[in-house]
Amino acid sequence: MSQYNPSNVPDAAAALPAYLRLELEQIARAKREPDQYLYLDTSYAAPKKLRDGMVVLADGTTWNPGSGAGFYGYRAGAWRFLG
């Protein structure tokens, strides 16, 4: 999903309907347009809520899920090194 950045809310109440219509259109467009990449921030601790299908980038020092720094997927109760 593309990034959505809200604009400033107008001070005049009469301008709110047009503002909301434009903002909702921008949100819908952002949800429709796929990103060409996936960016993961480096994780320095395990996520608090684990769910099958999670993918993380572990720093490998502060938090090492098993094979050092790299990408890990969580499945069936365990972190799997992806590379």
Side-chain angles (χ1 to χ4, degrees), residues 4-22:
Y4 162 71
N5 294 311
S7 58
N8 294 326
V9 178
D11 292 329
L16 284 176
Y19 166 80
L20 289 174
R21 184 174 46 256
L22 179 62

Side-chain angles (χ1 to χ4, degrees), residues 1-63:
M1 173 170 47
S2 296
Q3 185 172 347
Y4 162 71
N5 294 311
S7 58
N8 294 326
V9 178
D11 292 329
L16 284 176
Y19 166 80
L20 289 174
R21 184 174 46 256
L22 179 62
E23 292 300 302
L24 291 172
E25 288 172 2
Q26 289 178 348
I27 292 168
R29 188 178 316 111
K31 291 183 66 76
R32 265 193 320 269
E33 296 173 0
D35 286 333
Q36 294 181 12
Y37 59 88
L38 174 66
Y39 176 80
L40 298 175
D41 288 329
T42 301
S43 296
Y44 297 95
K48 295 183 191 281
K49 269 189 145 176
L50 300 176
R51 293 188 176 106
D52 273 3
M54 292 179 88
V55 177
V56 298
L57 174 59
D59 78 316
T61 303
T62 307
W63 177 48

